[in-house]
Amino acid sequence: MMYDVNRVREDFPILAREIYGRPLVYLDNGATTQKPRQVVEAMVDEYYNVNANVHRGVHFLSQQATDLHEASRETVRRFINAQSTSEILFTRGTTESINLLAFSFGEAMVKEGDEVVVSAMEHHSNIVPWQMMCERKGAQLRVIPMTDEGELQLEALDGLLNEKTRIVCCTQVSNVLGTVNPVKEVVRLAHEKAIPVLIDGAQSVPHMKVDVQELDCDFFAFSGHKVYGPTGVGVLYGKEVWLGKLPPYQGGGEMIKNVSFEKTTYNELPYKFEAGTPDYVATHALATALDYVSGLGMENIEAHEQELTRYALERMQQIEGMHIFGGARNRDAVISFQVGDIHHLDMGTLLDRLGIAVRTGHHCAEPLMRRLGIEGTVRASFGLYNTKAEVDALVEGIERIRRMF
Ligand code: PLP
């Protein structure tokens, strides 16, 4: 059963705003999503009524804050169906999750001459941390190529995997092309050679049901702010067998068992990877956001956004001079485009004047831009609250700008 999108929009106060005297049409959900009242209220309530540092206090408020924080870990576990809360590490976001993994995994598992495999359509945050680690260790980055349609070439992946490959890192959904990658198949191929896999779930978690056990991935990263939660919090999931073998990322409070000037022993999972005071207000708000989307039903959100994307593609393809990048068979709620020779920045700026928020540029995927032979695109990305009327506004806006040029 689908939800009532107009009712749901009332939960998001910002959607009632006007920009330059026009109703806001927010189509930049790939960059960040708007927050429902419930999420903001959870934060306000915690700051006003509960606030105390977690884990270290015997007093009432500290206990209560700790309970909320740890209950949030359980909510995340359930949301992605991890086996245990020891496998859920709180970070600042996808970027920090991948940096943590690249550092700790690199320290323990990578040596000179080894290889790390990423895909041609990764966000910089799933390229640069690996590149930095490779540089430190004298390892090599290898790339899974893609077709012109924006689909990964899995037959090439098989050829890339060898005894030197330490890890495969791949996004589940491309933030530029909207391609939904067959990550389960990537995992299967890698596991045939006992190679672990990290999945970047930044663009999948907000749009579809994710089950890390079903995917059988070894690591999975996502950001709170892209799934209607607050900024500054994210998750790294890791199978216990792997996390147990990796050294800590940062040192400090919370991640230790005992400290002396001679030697420090480390805390158990997940705390070993969580040095310092966590953003416990944000973790609670993230859990509130996950409960919110679960309440609507991830299947319903996916169905709503799929219908919206199909409708948008159909209407946009009729615009003269329209070029849509990527044509994967399995695609998500992201549409990158260019119209004639109108520069993406001009298109974005003029759409903004009509109250329509889209993203322009390279979308933190310069290697992908190079592969496509372009400098940038205009990107419209949908969220659970977008409507067909907003797609119509986008299409009419593009038409109007096209006629101006
Ligand atoms: N990975 C993908 C596919 C993304 O789209 C993004 C953000 O745009 C990131 C990683 C980085 O997320 P964050 O900036 O929240 O760390």
Side-chain angles (χ1 to χ4, degrees), residues 30-31 93-96 123 125 171 173 175 200 202-203 223 225-226:
T94 308
T95 302
E96 191 177 57
H123 187 279
S125 65
T171 193
V173 173
N175 66 316
D200 175 349
Q203 298 292 345
S223 296
H225 71 99
K226 291 187 198 283

Side-chain angles (χ1 to χ4, degrees), residues 64-83:
Q64 202 173 5
T66 304
D67 290 348
L68 285 175
H69 180 63
E70 290 307 324
S72 306
R73 204 187 297 278
E74 167 58 19
T75 303
V76 172
R77 184 205 65 73
R78 208 177 333 113
F79 190 75
I80 59 171
N81 193 33
Q83 221 161 47

Side-chain angles (χ1 to χ4, degrees), residues 107-157:
E107 285 305 290
M109 303 290 162
V110 180
K111 56 181 191 323
E112 199 172 337
D114 282 348
E115 294 177 0
V116 170
V117 173
V118 299
S119 93
M121 61 178 89
E122 296 309 309
H123 187 279
H124 292 164
S125 65
N126 205 19
I127 300 173
V128 184
W130 297 111
Q131 216 162 30
M132 288 163 69
M133 183 273 278
C134 283
E135 222 158 273
R136 236 175 20 247
K137 293 283 168 177
Q140 285 264 333
L141 208 60
R142 309 287 304 272
V143 182
I144 315 168
M146 66 170 212
T147 64
D148 291 338
E149 294 296 289
E151 293 185 345
L152 286 186
Q153 290 173 289
L154 286 191
E155 52 308 342
L157 170 61

Side-chain angles (χ1 to χ4, degrees), residues 103-315:
F103 176 84
S104 295
F105 188 89
E107 285 305 290
M109 303 290 162
V110 180
K111 56 181 191 323
E112 199 172 337
D114 282 348
E115 294 177 0
V116 170
V117 173
V118 299
S119 93
M121 61 178 89
E122 296 309 309
H123 187 279
H124 292 164
S125 65
N126 205 19
I127 300 173
V128 184
W130 297 111
Q131 216 162 30
M132 288 163 69
M133 183 273 278
C134 283
E135 222 158 273
R136 236 175 20 247
K137 293 283 168 177
Q140 285 264 333
L141 208 60
R142 309 287 304 272
V143 182
I144 315 168
M146 66 170 212
T147 64
D148 291 338
E149 294 296 289
E151 293 185 345
L152 286 186
Q153 290 173 289
L154 286 191
E155 52 308 342
L157 170 61
D158 207 31
L160 281 174
L161 302 176
N162 59 55
E163 67 291 344
K164 289 184 282 185
T165 316
R166 292 283 84 86
I167 189 166
V168 175
C169 310
C170 181
T171 193
Q172 189 166 12
V173 173
S174 160
N175 66 316
V176 176
L177 305 169
T179 308
V180 181
N181 286 318
V183 286
K184 206 173 157 179
E185 187 59 13
V186 171
V187 170
R188 196 187 61 75
L189 287 170
H191 282 185
E192 270 178 9
K193 295 179 179 163
I195 299 162
V197 176
L198 159 72
I199 295 180
D200 175 349
Q203 298 292 345
S204 59
V205 160
H207 305 291
M208 59 186 67
K209 179 98 195 86
V210 166
D211 180 331
V212 290
Q213 290 191 69
E214 209 240 329
L215 293 174
D216 198 25
C217 57
D218 304 275
F219 305 99
F220 188 94
F222 70 96
S223 296
H225 71 99
K226 291 187 198 283
V227 59
Y228 312 96
T231 47
V233 68
V235 171
L236 177 66
Y237 157 83
K239 281 185 185 166
E240 226 172 289
V241 284
W242 278 109
L243 292 180
K245 288 185 215 168
L246 306 185
Y249 173 49
Q250 294 180 327
E254 203 59 51
M255 50 76 72
I256 54 92
K257 191 168 270 154
N258 296 107
V259 179
S260 73
F261 286 116
E262 290 69 39
K263 181 155 181 65
T264 290
T265 54
Y266 302 129
N267 206 339
E268 62 203 28
L269 291 174
Y271 308 107
K272 182 172 88 174
F273 292 101
E274 293 183 350
T277 301
D279 194 340
Y280 50 84
V281 174
T283 56
H284 173 46
L286 169 60
T288 309
L290 298 182
D291 284 340
Y292 181 87
V293 292
S294 300
L296 294 179
M298 286 312 297
E299 313 74 18
N300 295 330
I301 292 171
E302 183 173 9
H304 172 76
E305 292 176 349
Q306 283 289 328
E307 191 181 324
L308 214 55
T309 307
R310 264 195 305 274
Y311 178 69
L313 284 170
E314 213 177 276
R315 287 218 57 192

